[in-house]
């Protein structure tokens, strides 16, 4: 199946700094990517839908000014956590939809990024 | 998307079949049943999906009741590597659909 990568896989930062997480579709084009957050022992929570060339659509309760999303190309979306605080520590996962695939489920998930804010 | 209900946890002996149930009594006629799983600290992995017929692939089998109100994911010979959280999701197979995850079933495969 198609591959989605995330970078970095793990990041530790100080409170107040900004952190950028990259999500790449390695062998397919994705007009739409999704960003999820997962706290320990909880399910994935959808944060936003990232559309190539347009503004992201955020889920209710997610601050768009804090979680900046940029989807500048068909293979790359970035999530920037601005002014990170300890409560932002979480597992961030992206997924990408294969634009051209006519197969069953064309949404592929990245391996996740573990963010720890000290 | 229709609401789905799964047991929070299950155990299964290694080598035995793991049968994971899912209730989706309000599923609409054009909503598919999808199964994903998430191994600890990894991204979710697609397993299988179906509309009304039973489906089988190299990973699992999906049995959907005739009234489509429930389904069962079957891992025929569970291994320790199948220990994961399994998510049952009912959704439309349309463009730009987003996957909304419920709490899922935590499956523990025991040696």
């Amino acid at each position: 199946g198609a591959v989605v990568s995330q970078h970095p896989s793990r990041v530790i930062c100080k409170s107040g700094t900004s952190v950028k997480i990259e999500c790449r579709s390695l062998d397919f084009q994705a007009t739409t990517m999704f960003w999820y957050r997962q706290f320990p022992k909880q399910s994935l929570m959808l944060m936003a839908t990232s559309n190539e060339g347009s503004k992201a659509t955020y889920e209710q309760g997610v601050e768009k000014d804090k979680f900046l999303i940029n989807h500048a190309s068909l293979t790359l979306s970035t999530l920037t956590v601005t002014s990170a605080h300890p409560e932002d520590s979480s597992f961030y996962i992206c997924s990408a939809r294969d634009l051209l695939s006519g197969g069953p489920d064309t949404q592929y998930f990245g391996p996740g990024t573990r963010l720890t804010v000290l | 998307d229709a609401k789905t209900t799964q047991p929070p946890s299950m155990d299964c002996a290694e080598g035995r079949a793991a049968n994971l149930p899912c209730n989706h009594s309000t599923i609409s006629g054009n909503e598919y049943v999808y199964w994903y799983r998430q191994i600890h600290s990894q991204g979710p992995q697609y397993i299988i999906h179906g509309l009304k017929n039973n489906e089988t692939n190299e990973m699992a089998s999906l049995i959907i009741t005739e009234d489509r109100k429930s389904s069962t994911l079957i891992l025929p010979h569970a291994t320790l590597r199948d220990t994961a959280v399994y998510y049952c999701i009912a959704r439309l197979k349309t463009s730009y659909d987003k996957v909304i995850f419920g709490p899922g079933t935590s499956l523990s495969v025991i040696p």
Side-chain angles (χ1 to χ4, degrees):
Chain A
V3 178
V4 175
S5 70
Q6 285 184 237
H7 178 79
S9 58
R10 186 181 298 267
V11 57
I12 300 173
C13 70
K14 293 182 179 180
S15 185
T17 61
S18 295
V19 175
K20 179 184 286 188
I21 302 170
E22 292 184 349
C23 176
R24 293 182 184 273
S25 56
L26 296 187
D27 51 2
F28 67 97
Q29 295 181 324
T31 56
T32 303
M33 292 182 173
F34 304 93
W35 286 96
Y36 295 82
R37 179 168 54 180
Q38 185 175 34
F39 293 108
K41 299 189 184 300
Q42 294 186 21
S43 187
L44 288 81
M45 184 184 73
L46 180 66
M47 298 175 66
T49 301
S50 169
N51 301 297
E52 188 266 336
S54 64
K55 291 183 179 181
T57 303
Y58 290 82
E59 296 298 305
Q60 191 172 10
V62 178
E63 300 175 57
K64 62 179 181 180
D65 294 331
K66 180 169 183 62
F67 299 100
L68 302 179
I69 292 173
N70 183 277
H71 192 160
S73 77
L74 287 173
T75 60
L76 173 64
S77 176
T78 60
L79 169 69
T80 301
V81 183
T82 62
S83 186
H85 291 284
E87 57 265 30
D88 298 322
S89 298
S90 188
F91 192 50
Y92 291 86
I93 302 168
C94 72
S95 71
R97 188 180 186 278
D98 189 340
L99 175 66
L100 298 176
S101 172
D105 183 84
T106 55
Q107 197 167 130
Y108 303 95
F109 289 82
T113 296
R114 176 78 58 192
L115 171 63
T116 303
V117 184
L118 302 177
Chain B
D1 296 350
K3 179 179 171 58
T4 61
T5 305
Q6 300 175 251
S9 63
M10 292 182 63
D11 292 338
C12 176
E14 187 178 17
R16 299 279 187 159
N19 298 289
L20 292 92
C22 179
N23 287 319
H24 31 79
S25 58
T26 61
I27 195 169
S28 64
N30 55 354
E31 283 184 312
Y32 288 71
V33 179
Y34 283 83
W35 283 84
Y36 293 81
R37 74 178 182 184
Q38 185 182 24
I39 296 170
H40 182 64
S41 293
Q42 296 184 22
Q45 176 189 23
Y46 163 80
I47 301 174
I48 199 168
H49 82 292
L51 183 61
K52 51 184 175 182
N53 297 324
N54 297 336
E55 302 288 343
T56 296
N57 62 21
E58 64 278 5
M59 291 183 66
S61 294
L62 174 60
I63 308 298
I64 303 174
T65 58
E66 194 169 339
D67 62 8
R68 301 188 71 239
K69 292 185 177 182
S70 65
S71 61
T72 301
L73 179 75
I74 301 173
L75 307 179
H77 305 285
T79 69
L80 299 180
R81 289 177 294 180
D82 292 321
T83 293
V85 179
Y86 288 77
Y87 299 99
C88 169
I89 297 163
R91 65 186 182 102
L92 298 173
K93 198 175 81 169
T94 55
S95 299
Y96 308 116
D97 50 354
K98 53 190 179 184
V99 180
I100 304 296
F101 290 87
T105 295
S106 178
L107 175 68
S108 296
V109 180
I110 302 168

